[in-house]
Amino acid sequence: MVTDVLIVGAGIIGAACARTLAAAGLTVTVLDRGAAASGTSAKGEGNLLVSDKGPGAELRLAQYAASLWPAVTAQLAEQLGPRFPAVEYERKGGIVVATTDAGAAPLLAFADTQRTAGVDARALDVAEAIALEPELNPRITAAVHYPEDAQVQPVIMTEALLASARRSGAVVHTGVEVIGALRDANGRISGVRTSAGEISAGAVLIAAGPWSGEVAASFGTTLPVRPRRGVVLVTSRMPHRIFHKVYDGDYFGATQSSDASLQTSSVVESTAAGTVLIGSSREQIGFDDRLRVPVLHELAVKALRIFPFLAGASIMRSYGGFRPYMPDHLPVIGADHRIDGLWHASGHEGAGIGLSLATAEIIAADMLQRTPPIDPAPFRLDRASLAAHLAEVA
């Protein structure tokens, strides 16, 4: 079997890349050792955010991604038809609140910096915030409205992207594990060895989320991506009483922290099905997937500070997953400068759902030698901020 591009990973990043590359005329093969969208993409909240990013490269990537979502979701609906489930894309907006006097000034100052970078960040007084979210705790001390924030159902979106890729000729194989790389006489990667045999490829793209480091190691190289554990509580269905994504101002600090210990912040939102999702936690504990009651307790307590009415809600279930964490908090998107034929699209941490479409456009522009839609340099593997974390190629 021969393919132009072989993608390792059938999560939303791999699916978006497959769709874009196949639509550009390349032959594409996607492999995943599990089912499609069964890893990180199935364990998140479907956030498409600009509100949690300060000025810089990741915000520019998020703003570009936000510009793509309406058109892509419309294209998928038209291409796949009404019999395919709706991806539940909703530009519902976000509201970030401070729950203490000490948290008010930093929240408003952060919004000021975001506005200089073109983010629509609207400071609200308490009455204005409650007008948008009537169940909000009136004891909040500050609030900022972000109309550009959106949400999508990540599993359905991943499946939709893969279905679209198949329409353009892409092939998706699940239950197939990549166990090593094929190399030509010059050391260039020319394909992969899998549990089902060898596949030749013009390029190999690792898009395996927090497992990307393991795949890279099987190829004889390194990628400093690590799993960062997160947990979400899910309530039973109820009439909609939360209308935006609402979270406390501690969330941004948690996303940018390099601390391996447990950090929690309140993130609350409703789904189209009527459940309420309550997060978020972050800790680096390897691939330990055991649920711990103290973490769930912290999430519940902090959610009540924002929405006291949730004290009467029933928790239907909880789930946890692993985010692909990079030490400099930026994803790796592009060719591996150490090994010809190897590419990466990983390390998006908790922002991978939102950044998937933009990541695919950057990868496609790079592979096809087209003008990139935004400056890709901050996301290259050879950037200075990663130099100390890269070992020599084995």
Side-chain angles (χ1 to χ4, degrees):
M1 181 178 179
V2 180
T3 187
D4 291 333
V5 183
L6 187 143
I7 300 173
V8 185
I12 196 165
I13 299 293
C17 291
R19 175 182 184 267
T20 302
L21 292 169
L26 299 179
T27 57
V28 176
T29 300
V30 182
L31 304 180
D32 199 295
R33 66 185 180 187
S38 61
T40 300
S41 298
K43 303 299 195 302
E45 299 172 61
N47 297 326
L48 317 176
L49 306 182
V50 297
S51 59
D52 63 339
K53 299 167 182 66
E58 189 182 26
L59 176 57
R60 290 191 293 273
L61 185 63
Q63 290 171 313
Y64 172 56
S67 74
L68 299 174
W69 275 96
V72 170
T73 54
Q75 291 163 10
L76 291 171
E78 181 178 0
Q79 183 181 30
L80 302 179
R83 299 184 65 180
F84 195 94
V87 301
E88 298 178 15
Y89 170 74
E90 181 183 6
R91 195 173 177 181
K92 62 167 60 175
I95 296 177
V96 186
V97 301
T99 58
T100 65
D101 290 335
L107 173 62
L108 297 175
F110 181 63
D112 286 341
T113 67
Q114 291 175 302
R115 280 190 287 272
T116 67
V119 175
D120 187 355
R122 308 176 186 180
L124 307 173
D125 61 30
V126 174
E128 290 170 328
I130 291 176
L132 292 175
E133 286 289 346
E135 299 284 359
L136 198 60
N137 189 339
R139 298 179 67 181
I140 64 167
T141 57
V144 181
H145 180 210
Y146 292 89
E148 296 167 298
D149 281 355
Q151 186 178 15
V152 74
Q153 212 296 332
V155 175
I156 300 175
M157 185 64 190
T158 302
E159 294 284 9
L161 291 167
L162 289 173
S164 177
R166 290 187 183 98
R167 296 285 184 95
S168 296
V171 177
V172 181
H173 294 292
T174 57
V176 176
E177 184 171 5
V178 173
I179 56 179
L182 302 176
R183 300 203 187 205
D184 64 18
N186 298 316
R188 185 184 191 278
I189 286 186
S190 57
V192 296
R193 291 182 291 110
T194 81
S195 56
E198 296 184 350
I199 302 176
S200 298
V204 175
L205 172 66
I206 300 177
W211 297 274
S212 294
E214 293 182 3
V215 179
S218 75
F219 289 1
T221 188
T222 56
L223 186 70
V225 61
R226 300 195 299 270
R228 202 177 191 191
R229 173 79 165 156
V231 178
V232 175
L233 295 173
V234 186
T235 73
S236 56
R237 295 177 64 182
M238 65 179 74
H240 280 269
R241 298 171 69 177
I242 301 172
F243 305 100
H244 303 76
K245 178 185 178 67
V246 185
Y247 64 93
D248 68 49
D250 294 338
Y251 180 74
F252 174 74
T255 64
Q256 298 303 303
S257 172
S258 298
D259 194 338
S261 61
L262 175 65
Q263 299 168 74
T264 59
S265 57
S266 187
V267 182
V268 186
E269 62 193 311
S270 295
T271 69
T275 60
V276 174
L277 305 181
I278 300 171
S280 73
S281 66
R282 280 170 165 77
E283 56 185 331
Q284 293 183 43
I285 52 174
F287 284 104
D288 184 348
D289 62 358
R290 292 172 295 181
L291 290 177
R292 296 190 291 118
V293 172
V295 178
L296 304 181
H297 179 262
E298 280 198 31
L299 296 182
V301 168
K302 290 190 174 182
L304 295 180
R305 296 175 186 170
I306 297 180
F307 289 111
F309 85 90
L310 290 172
S314 298
I315 297 297
M316 178 174 65
R317 65 186 178 98
S318 63
Y319 62 87
F322 301 102
R323 305 176 182 94
Y325 168 87
M326 291 295 291
D328 64 352
H329 304 286
L330 287 175
V332 175
I333 307 171
D336 192 312
H337 61 287
R338 306 162 300 177
I339 306 177
D340 194 18
L342 181 61
W343 298 69
H344 300 283
S346 187
H348 299 72
E349 223 249 272
I353 305 298
L355 301 180
S356 57
L357 303 183
T359 296
E361 293 296 330
I362 292 174
I363 288 289
D366 217 354
M367 285 191 176
L368 298 168
Q369 299 183 353
R370 296 174 177 172
T371 301
I374 63 172
D375 181 11
F379 312 109
R380 300 292 194 203
L381 184 61
D382 62 356
R383 59 189 185 249
S385 55
L386 286 184
H389 301 279
L390 296 179
E392 292 297 323
V393 177

